Amino acid sequence: MIQHELLRDKGILIVTPQGSLEQKDFDMLASAVDPYIQEKGRLNGLMIHAKSFPGWHDFAALISHFRFVKNHHQHVAKVAAVTDSGFLSILPHIAKHFVRAEIRHFDYDDKENALTWLSSTN
């Protein structure tokens, strides 16, 4: 399950996984963010805020996650991985080869600095 908050005034989506990721989570995220992207053209930032990586519920969830990234990565300027998870902390080094967004890792307790970075313009 993923909780999310769209900070419309800043153009930032904050996602917080609460358990293993499911296919319906990515459908829900798309329905929440797609109208904003259609109206504004992009998200200024995406924050993934997770103490640890919860994994995927099943293979369908994994595929749904990949599809969400494929369909949205070109519409996100920056991604902040705010986590103490070893898996998520290496995300910036791996994902930079596949997505256009600028990606940066922050420690889990550094959420405010991550939000400030996402809010800044280049």
Side-chain angles (χ1 to χ4, degrees), residues 13-53:
L13 177 66
I14 300 172
V15 296
T16 308
Q18 300 292 313
S20 59
L21 308 178
E22 299 182 27
Q23 181 175 355
K24 65 183 178 182
D25 293 328
F26 299 100
D27 296 338
M28 181 243 344
L29 284 176
S31 67
V33 76
D34 286 354
Y36 182 88
I37 291 172
Q38 187 161 2
E39 177 186 339
K40 303 289 186 179
R42 72 174 194 167
L43 281 173
N44 293 324
L46 167 65
M47 178 188 295
I48 303 163
H49 189 235
K51 190 75 170 165
S52 63
F53 180 65

Side-chain angles (χ1 to χ4, degrees), residues 33-121:
V33 76
D34 286 354
Y36 182 88
I37 291 172
Q38 187 161 2
E39 177 186 339
K40 303 289 186 179
R42 72 174 194 167
L43 281 173
N44 293 324
L46 167 65
M47 178 188 295
I48 303 163
H49 189 235
K51 190 75 170 165
S52 63
F53 180 65
W56 298 275
H57 179 72
D58 55 21
F59 188 68
L62 173 66
I63 296 301
S64 194
H65 190 175
F66 287 160
R67 187 176 302 117
F68 181 84
V69 171
K70 175 184 161 275
N71 293 338
H72 293 88
H73 79 91
Q74 294 180 5
H75 305 286
V76 179
K78 295 179 178 179
V79 177
V82 184
T83 182
D84 290 337
S85 165
F87 177 78
L88 288 177
S89 68
I90 65 167
L91 175 71
H93 304 293
I94 297 169
K96 69 180 178 184
H97 300 287
F98 303 102
V99 298
R100 195 165 79 172
E102 182 180 355
I103 305 170
R104 189 167 161 194
H105 170 256
F106 293 84
D107 291 335
Y108 182 78
D109 294 328
D110 209 9
K111 183 178 178 182
E112 288 306 313
N113 282 333
L115 192 57
T116 298
W117 177 73
L118 288 171
S119 299
S120 67
T121 57

